[in-house]
Amino acid sequence: MFPKKTYTKRRKVLKKQIKSGLVLLMGNELSSMNYTDNTYHFRQDSTFLYYIGLDLPSLTAIIDVDKGETMLFGTELTIDDVIWTGPQPSLKSLAAKSGIKKVIPPTQIATIIKKAKKAGRAIHFLPPYRPENKIKLSEWMGLPINGLSCISCVPLAKAVIEQALVKTKEEIKEMEKALAITADMHLTAMRTAKPGMKEAEVTGKVHGVAISAGGNLAYPIILTVNGQTLHNHYHGNTLKKGQLLLGDFGAETGMHYAGDITRTFPISEKFTEKQRDIYELVLAMEMASIDACKPGAIYKDIHLDAARILVNGMKDLGLMKGDTDAAVAEGAHALFFPHGLGHAIGLDVHDMEDLGEDLVGYTDDIKRSPQFGLRSLRFGRALAKGHVMTVEPGIYFIPELIDRWNKEGKFKNFINYSKLKSYRDFGGIRIEDNVLITGKGQKILGPPIPKTVGEIEVIRTVALA
Ligand code: GLY
Ligand code: MN
Ligand code: MN
């Protein structure tokens, strides 16, 4: 945990924004995997971690904004529990670490909420995403489960988002830690992968690095020779010379701050010429986009500039043609780059996406585009000092999408479908870094991880020697 004052200060800022009523913050429960006692790895809710800091299941907090006090709801362990869990610090002592004096049994939550509702006080809560919390909230609020999807959540969600998007020095330190572990994970992949191995063998080693460092994964590992499938979690392929391996994985620290890095490298010592051409183009998109990150810059504009670099590069390679601006305006580039340039990152790899992706990434002035490709951009608004963003352009050759568009005669004025035939088995390349927006510009967080063609070929040549 951070020091007590971090949490008291965070709650004070929130109270000021919310002005009156009760703020209900739900911690997560243990969730059963295949029978009650065989549970998934516990992951605390990120907003609960942000304001309360306690990383244990079955806790709830209520901030009484008018009284200026926070109550923690939880049950002290009985001797029956201690037999299984070993002795644990009392809830009272844990609450004190967060600057909370009142610890109350959870059986009282319903009564407190009912009384506040009767008195006409606002109950602010956030959209629940776990079934257990939906059930609890439905009972406490006296609302049907499908009536919980919340318009009334918006003011609290917005207040949380605006506060938590701006990272403090202590949070950046924690994110640097996540990225140091993440760098080790990527170096391990680059040093381990050899022709003849299964993707799963490399994946296991990479996961081990995160666990050995006292954290875990920030999201399921993508490590695949089929990088053109964006969220590919299949690890059963055998690595072959001449293929590319795309690795998108990151650690979260013990305090749950995330890293999210992608590297793509050849299974052989060196890239083929064809691979190198596309790699250099993705790298140019990435480096130009990182350079453009600064306070006030509109992330959607940076995404579109990256798309223009893609189109110009693809025109040089003979894969696209026509006017670059028109191709990007119409969305032709999305055949190769169907996702967004990046997203905010923090306690969640997609920071606060549970509170509403559009509330995090868009504003009343900058709205999400419905266009294919651009609609997958999670964050389109202006950057500000303290934001941490991923920058993750990619170029993919997705045979199914190429065939579909070709058959539909889509963008024939921009795309050279005949030349694309020789790229059907190319796969995909993505390069991703995590960037802190500073006062004047930006800083890439974490230790450098081989990224240029030269750096990657050196580490691969040593690995295969
Ligand atoms: N790792 C998922 C993403 O890059 O958004
Ligand atoms: Mn990623
Ligand atoms: Mn990402």
Side-chain angles (χ1 to χ4, degrees):
M1 274 177 83
F2 291 127
K4 179 164 72 182
K5 70 170 189 307
T6 297
Y7 302 100
T8 52
K9 207 169 133 195
R10 284 174 178 176
R11 294 197 295 267
K12 201 169 154 194
V13 171
L14 184 67
K15 279 183 259 183
K16 224 171 143 188
Q17 293 301 316
I18 295 300
K19 296 190 177 75
S20 74
L22 300 184
V23 172
L24 175 67
L25 298 174
M26 302 181 80
N28 279 337
E29 299 287 338
L30 277 166
S31 222
S32 297
M33 199 158 55
N34 50 342
Y35 54 89
T36 305
D37 284 347
N38 203 22
T39 56
Y40 288 106
H41 156 76
F42 176 69
R43 175 54 158 83
Q44 184 58 292
D45 174 75
S46 297
T47 309
F48 195 87
L49 283 172
Y50 186 78
Y51 289 106
I52 309 294
L54 299 178
D55 193 5
L56 292 169
S58 306
L59 297 176
T60 306
I62 293 181
I63 305 172
D64 186 323
V65 180
D66 307 293
K67 278 198 200 153
E69 74 172 4
T70 303
M71 297 163 268
L72 181 74
F73 299 85
T75 312
E76 296 288 0
L77 296 186
T78 65
I79 187 66
D80 280 0
D81 299 317
V82 169
I83 291 166
W84 298 94
T85 62
Q88 304 292 326
S90 70
L91 269 186
K92 209 151 179 78
S93 67
L94 289 171
K97 287 188 182 205
S98 184
I100 300 173
K101 294 194 188 83
K102 268 196 176 171
V103 179
I104 301 172
T107 45
Q108 292 197 30
I109 297 173
T111 317
I112 291 171
I113 289 180
K114 211 166 157 188
K115 205 169 135 196
K117 270 176 86 176
K118 217 166 156 191
R121 302 180 69 195
I123 319 287
H124 302 275
F125 58 88
L126 294 167
Y129 54 92
R130 292 259 186 123
E132 298 87 354
N133 280 357
K134 288 185 184 181
I135 294 167
K136 284 192 296 186
L137 189 61
S138 156
E139 285 172 10
W140 295 340
M141 294 300 297
L143 291 169
I145 287 184
N146 56 13
L148 290 170
S149 65
C150 14
I151 296 166
S152 60
C153 298
V154 171
L156 178 59
K158 275 190 171 171
V160 172
I161 288 165
E162 292 317 311
Q163 184 179 1
L165 268 182
V166 178
K167 307 293 185 273
T168 58
K169 278 203 184 105
E170 60 190 350
E171 289 183 287
I172 296 302
K173 237 171 117 179
E174 209 46 40
M175 295 192 75
E176 294 273 19
K177 263 193 229 168
L179 284 157
I181 305 167
T182 302
D184 275 348
M185 292 163 78
H186 280 274
L187 289 171
T188 298
M190 288 177 185
R191 288 176 181 142
T192 303
K194 301 207 168 56
M197 284 176 92
K198 290 266 191 220
E199 292 162 334
E201 291 177 70
V202 186
T203 304
K205 293 248 182 328
V206 164
H207 194 164
V209 174
I211 292 175
S212 307
N216 212 317
L217 300 176
Y219 53 97
I221 292 175
I222 297 168
L223 194 144
T224 178
V225 292
N226 289 316
Q228 78 282 5
T229 302
L230 297 183
H231 280 175
N232 194 339
H233 295 127
Y234 177 74
H235 298 139
N237 293 305
T238 302
L239 310 183
K240 294 192 195 92
K241 279 203 166 203
Q243 289 176 320
L244 290 170
L245 188 62
L246 184 151
D248 180 349
F249 43 81
E252 67 169 24
T253 61
M255 283 183 66
H256 302 291
Y257 282 86
D260 179 8
I261 298 283
T262 306
R263 289 291 184 269
T264 310
F265 61 85
I267 303 296
S268 310
E269 288 89 343
K270 292 188 190 297
F271 290 92
T272 65
E273 203 181 320
K274 203 169 176 182
Q275 289 168 343
R276 189 165 50 236
D277 285 344
I278 301 293
Y279 190 91
E280 294 283 19
L281 181 50
V282 179
L283 189 59
M285 291 163 73
E286 203 231 15
M287 299 207 324
S289 302
I290 291 175
D291 265 357
C293 286
K294 57 173 190 249
I298 309 291
Y299 203 66
K300 185 178 172 183
D301 292 343
I302 304 177
H303 170 97
L304 291 171
D305 284 342
R308 277 184 271 274
I309 297 172
L310 179 154
V311 173
N312 286 332
M314 294 301 243
K315 276 162 62 177
D316 291 344
L317 293 171
L319 294 167
M320 288 188 80
K321 58 192 172 181
D323 180 68
T324 300
D325 288 341
V328 170
E330 291 181 40
H333 63 281
L335 177 62
F336 307 107
F337 179 30
H339 62 73
L341 183 65
H343 49 85
I345 179 168
L347 275 165
D348 305 292
V349 62
H350 292 176
D351 213 17
M352 296 177 276
E353 208 158 279
D354 60 311
L355 307 186
E357 205 177 307
D358 282 5
L359 290 181
V360 177
Y362 290 89
T363 61
D364 291 342
D365 299 328
I366 302 178
K367 296 217 184 305
R368 187 187 290 263
S369 162
Q371 188 185 71
F372 175 77
L374 197 49
R375 71 172 176 237
S376 298
L377 179 65
R378 299 176 191 280
F379 195 103
R381 65 197 267 194
L383 299 173
K385 184 179 170 192
H387 286 181
V388 181
M389 298 296 299
T390 70
V391 178
E392 50 178 306
I395 293 181
Y396 314 89
F397 295 86
I398 307 168
E400 298 78 7
L401 189 61
I402 295 170
D403 289 347
R404 167 72 74 94
W405 281 25
N406 192 14
K407 207 168 130 201
E408 290 173 355
K410 212 166 161 178
F411 297 130
K412 289 221 174 240
N413 47 338
F414 296 124
I415 293 160
N416 279 329
Y417 286 101
S418 57
K419 182 117 196 229
L420 270 179
K421 286 195 186 105
S422 62
Y423 283 79
R424 287 184 74 79
D425 61 352
F426 183 96
I429 292 174
R430 179 164 63 254
I431 308 172
E432 177 174 23
D433 281 302
N434 302 167
V435 170
L436 167 69
I437 311 304
T438 59
K440 287 208 185 99
Q442 83 302 120
K443 177 179 182 269
I444 298 178
L445 295 179
I449 305 168
K451 186 160 82 167
T452 63
V453 165
E455 287 163 353
I456 287 177
E457 290 187 345
V458 166
I459 192 167
R460 289 301 294 151
T461 301
V462 172
L464 297 186

